[in-house]
Amino acid sequence: MIALFAVTDAGRRAAAEVASVLDARLHELAELAELWPRLDGAVFFLATGATVRLVAPLLGDKHTDPGVVCVDEARRFAVALAGGHEGGANALATRVAAVLGAEPVITTASDAAGRTGVDGLAGLLGATVDGDAAAAGTALLDGAALVANPLGFPLPPLPPVTGEPRHTITITDRLAAEPGTRLVPPTLVVGIGSARGVPAADVTAALQRLETEHGVDLRAVRAYASVDLKADEAGILAAIAPAELRTFPAEVLAAVDVPNPSEVVRAEVGTASVAEAAALHAAAELGAGAPVELAAEKTKHRNVTVAAARIRPRGRLAIVGLGPGADDLRVPRAAAELRRASVVVGLDQYVEQVRHLLVPGTEVRVSGLGDEEQRAADAVALAAKGLAVALIGSGDAGIYAMASPALEAAGADIEVVGVPGVTAALAAAALLGAPLGHDHVLISLSDLHTPWPVIEKRVAAAAEADLVTCFYNPRSRDRHWQLGAALDAFRAHRPSATPVGAVRQAGRPGQRVWTAPLADFDPAEVDMLTTVVVGSSTTRMVAGRMVTPRGYRWS
Ligand code: SAH
């Protein structure tokens, strides 16, 4: 039994909304002590302090206490106050929050980082939830749900099963007999062929046969396909509306290998298969490299044939830039991708920077400086095994960083998602003023990956082309003269007053920003944690800020 307690009008209104959905009742505070032993959960529409004082004398031990949830007057938060796991308060707070459009506040260690619930999982997969989502969600958060993933979707870490499993959540595009909740992901493409002038009802009946004869769930259908000849076939278009029909030339479909070709069809249409071939071809196109298979062979109803192809899931590699260091200079999608991953690969210092964002259970593979290629290869190999992997790097992970070695090694057997990050040049520029307001270039002075003569040539070209130039990897203990040589190249082409800006540890503790005229800039102050920005001939200092004019007049 779940009891609700409210003392204000707003509280009573919120309680009434919760009551109708959760099968719970509003009670008087005076009844609390008497009800307590029989309660499964108690929701207080009160401040946490008031709630604590009310329940404190009643609390016994966590194995028998009900879950206690507290909702604030403005109904912004549903706080799981006590009995998070065994009392079910975490799950109750999540459900109450869902009803009220509030934020669930969950503080138990294993859940604090915001586990992926059933809705979250469905969202990641773009899946439809079929079954009792609330029961599945509660069981998942309680560690009492088994997740079956027969197609092998790359999933984030899920709550460990700690108790007697009482619920099964199956990720499938098949209609299943097993009890439990199903997440139906959009994996299927249905191919349709027909005679001219078929009624929509026949198409609908044929589609139904995919369910009755092949057990595929039509909610998993992501697209419909056919041959060009059928692009305006009214019965098909009406049956699948509002979905669209993708069509392909007969000769394209003729090249697709299918199990059930027909010579009669070939003679009429120019391809021995329409339904199977169109399903497979469209699935391959949509899957962009994902493996494709027939989920339901050609099935006929009257003058309509249908078949379903499945786009199989692939492992997932997210290449995530973390920005220069400050939490609020990291794009929100980076955190989402870190939480989506079951394995995070990266340099130790960057992993530490985001460890608090990871879902409990995330596997972390750290490595030291240097073995960049090995790290990239590891990440790719893990994704190729079907896992959800995040490869992290500072700034943008594609700028003098891990994305290149990773994608040189990655095949079409994995899905790759890039999340851009604020690169050092942008972080530095924002601190310096507006140095990048006109054409600019990034040059790394590291000769680890590039021979010095090549770097020298590019530096000279940038100097001559009057480009604002950002130097990455400007100077290290063993590489101390290159920045000076580069600045000399610029001195030959730009006024000696041209501003040079430098930022060390942008967005990190100990950040330092300074500028000097090109003639006086001292390379000795620069190290590997610094980005140097050399202005163009038009760059000026304005009120202490480095500004490169846009260079045109408004008319
Ligand atoms: N992927 C990174 C760059 C890696 S190369 C990015 O997009 O920012 C490493 C160089 O980047 C350093 O030598 C330094 O020149 C620059 N850099 C990286 N982070 C920086 C920061 N927080 N402040 C200043 N420069 C930084």
Side-chain angles (χ1 to χ4, degrees), residues 324 394-396 399 423-424 472-474 503 505-506 508 528-531:
S394 86
D396 184 274
I399 297 187
T423 187
Y472 282 58
N473 303 307
V503 179
Q505 297 280 55
R508 298 182 192 148
M528 277 299 271
L529 302 171
T530 310
T531 298

Side-chain angles (χ1 to χ4, degrees), residues 266-408:
R266 190 200 302 279
E268 265 177 47
V269 192
T271 167
S273 167
V274 172
E276 288 179 347
L280 285 167
H281 184 78
E285 219 178 66
L286 285 168
V292 157
E293 65 195 10
L294 265 189
E297 290 190 7
K298 181 166 82 176
T299 303
K300 208 165 156 59
H301 174 81
R302 302 242 171 104
N303 281 328
V304 185
T305 55
V306 290
R310 172 183 296 120
I311 304 167
R312 289 196 68 99
R314 293 176 285 176
R316 190 169 199 277
L317 177 65
I319 300 177
V320 181
L322 301 180
D327 270 359
D328 54 357
L329 286 181
R330 186 181 58 237
V331 306
R333 193 177 295 180
E337 282 298 338
L338 291 173
R339 307 175 49 69
R340 166 99 188 62
S342 64
V343 190
V344 171
V345 182
L347 205 61
D348 35 18
Q349 70 201 76
Y350 302 137
V351 171
E352 287 323 311
Q353 200 179 304
V354 295
R355 204 180 269 277
H356 62 288
L357 298 173
L358 306 182
V359 176
T362 305
E363 188 190 334
V364 172
R365 301 232 175 164
V366 296
S367 55
L369 212 63
D371 41 3
E372 198 176 65
E373 265 173 45
Q374 188 55 46
R375 197 154 65 236
D378 284 350
V380 170
L382 289 164
K385 271 169 51 184
L387 296 171
V389 182
L391 176 60
I392 61 174
S394 86
D396 184 274
I399 297 187
Y400 305 124
M402 303 292 294
S404 305
L407 296 193
E408 278 178 294

